[in-house]
Amino acid sequence: MIAFEHVGKRYGGRYDALAHLDFRVRRGEMVFLTGHSGAGKSSLLRLIMRLERPSRGRILVAGHDIDRLHHSQVPFYRRQIGVVFQDHQLLFDRSIYHNVALPLEIQGVEPREAARRVRAALDKVGLLHREKALPIELSGGEQQRVGIARAVVNKPALLLADEPTGNLDPQLSADIMRLFEDFHRIGTTVMIASHDLALIARLRHRMLRLHEGRLVADEEAA
Amino acid sequence: MSRESAPARGARSHRATTGSRWRAWLRHHRAMGQDSARRLLRHPLGSLLTMLAIAIALVLPAGLWLALDGARLLDAELDESATLTVYLAPRVEAAEAARIEQALAARPGVAETRLITAAEGMAEFQQALGLEDALTRLPGNPLPASIVVHPVETAPAVVRDLAEGLKAVAGVEEVRLDLAWLERLRHLAELGRRVTLGLAVLFGLGVLLVVGNTIRLAVENRRQEIEVVTLIGATHPFVRRPFLYSGAWFGLGGGLLAWGLLTLGSDWLAAPVSALAASYGASFSLPRLGPAGSAMLLACSTLLGWLGAWIAVSRHLAQIRPR
Ligand SMILES: Nc1ncnc2c1ncn2[C@@H]1O[C@H](COP(=O)(O)OP(=O)(O)OP(=O)(O)O)[C@@H](O)[C@H]1O
Ligand SMILES: [Mg+2]
């Protein structure tokens, strides 16, 4: 599903945020990406979303070299990836319902079909009863779950998450990880950046460890 | 991903999605048209001020254009009164004069002729000057007979050629054509047209700037929203659409206000203008924006608003990059 071939990323010509990255993620796999703060986890995910472009090497997603996408194709590429952002990226002037519906609105999904899918996604994250609320009225964990609902409402084949359990308590973090495992179980390829090593270790999935922009460990699920 | 899922679908479902994509596009247009109108109404005073600025920029060129339109009507009227006066030699007898008149009337380029005999000429002259006594004391009639010629075409060059031709006719002493003032008026009208065009371009740019600035602020206010929708796969046209509608609404509102100002203005000026015209013996009234003119004004202002928004949003989208 994802292949990095000798990928390097340099910001502003000074030093390499990422270097010599070579790995593959198979279709339907669930992978954790870990490393110290500043190791390059977010940068790696941004490369996959094509928010940044590699300074060196190639990134293939579903067999396509994403660096060769014309910029007019990029939006259509992004629609095929569900992303949960480190800082939610919710719109605070819209209800939960409309936040989750946003990707469908962008793709022009017919409203009745959209409503059905939004409710299904909200149901999945346990927030169906809050659909009329504004994001500001929700707790941090609930906002994170809205972000997840928005990422999966489109049934993407690839789901990326950047610190989805950032500031949550252990119980909530475990709940959220269980949600991702559910999507993994139905065939979605999932890649999660996290530095919560204790939690990751318990979940027994493949783990890529970054250190100063280099891949220092690739541990298959025990 | 798309390549792998494509064969599974089929040609039929592809055709179906073209139709639904078209419907989705229309749906988004309708939604954004309404949404941007609601946003305008949410800040009625600010919106009104922007529209007023647009209206003021539109009123001056539109008003001038109207005045020119009136001048064009006047011009056409004057064209009809463009005539040549052919003075015959003093020795030409009345019968001879009538024959010459017929000859002139038969020439190509001559629409109509009228003979003014020496006696008639004297009568007119006396009447105009009120010098009956002085003139009756003159020995004989010093005025020649003359023929007033209406040309078919009134373009100055054509009239001048016609005059040359008439001068060569036997018995004709002089041909007078008073085109200078007509030409002066034409030059003046041309000047007015160019000034109006120049002003229209300048003030059109002004409208672009007003709308552009307003939309720039709107984009800045919704920066986070733009970033988020870009992150999840919105195309540039999708992001631009609400702002383009805002610009078009501003333009339309400004155009309507300008229309109102113009109507009020021509009501206000109508009385002095027709009084002035009457004092020159002309019947001239300020023309009003007819249905076609009104439609034109509104279409132009809406288009300008849309264009201003387009420029502002496009310039800004290039700068906004999702974090
Ligand atoms: N846009 C940018 N311009 C310049 N340098 C950047 C940019 N984005 C990231 N970096 C640098 O790249 C390195 C990796 O950053 P990145 O955000 O990928 O780390 P991270 O592993 O996600 O850290 P954290 O756990 O704190 O989120 C950092 O040293 C950072 O300063
Ligand atoms: Mg990060």
Side-chain angles (χ1 to χ4, degrees), chain B residues 12-31:
Chain B
R12 249 189 96 246
S13 77
H14 179 75
R15 256 203 306 280
T17 59
T18 316
S20 67
R21 211 175 295 151
W22 172 241
R23 273 197 304 281
W25 184 82
L26 279 181
R27 198 162 50 231
H28 190 243
H29 269 274
R30 202 168 44 235

Side-chain angles (χ1 to χ4, degrees), chain A residues 11-12 15 17 35-44 46 52 86 162-163 195 210:
Chain A
Y11 287 111
Y15 73 110
H36 60 93
S37 179
K41 305 180 294 292
S42 298
S43 299
L44 195 154
R46 288 171 65 85
E52 304 287 354
Q86 194 161 0
D162 195 352
E163 307 281 2
H195 52 227
L210 288 175

Side-chain angles (χ1 to χ4, degrees), chain A residues 7-24:
Chain A
V7 173
K9 176 68 191 174
R10 175 172 289 193
Y11 287 111
R14 284 205 307 109
Y15 73 110
D16 291 321
L18 294 170
H20 307 298
L21 288 183
D22 244 318
F23 66 88
R24 271 159 202 282

Side-chain angles (χ1 to χ4, degrees), chain A residues 15 81-82 98 126-127 130 132 140 146 162 164 186 189:
Chain A
Y15 73 110
I81 305 176
H98 286 292
L127 284 174
R130 303 301 308 269
K132 292 203 176 65
V146 175
D162 195 352
I186 58 169
T189 310

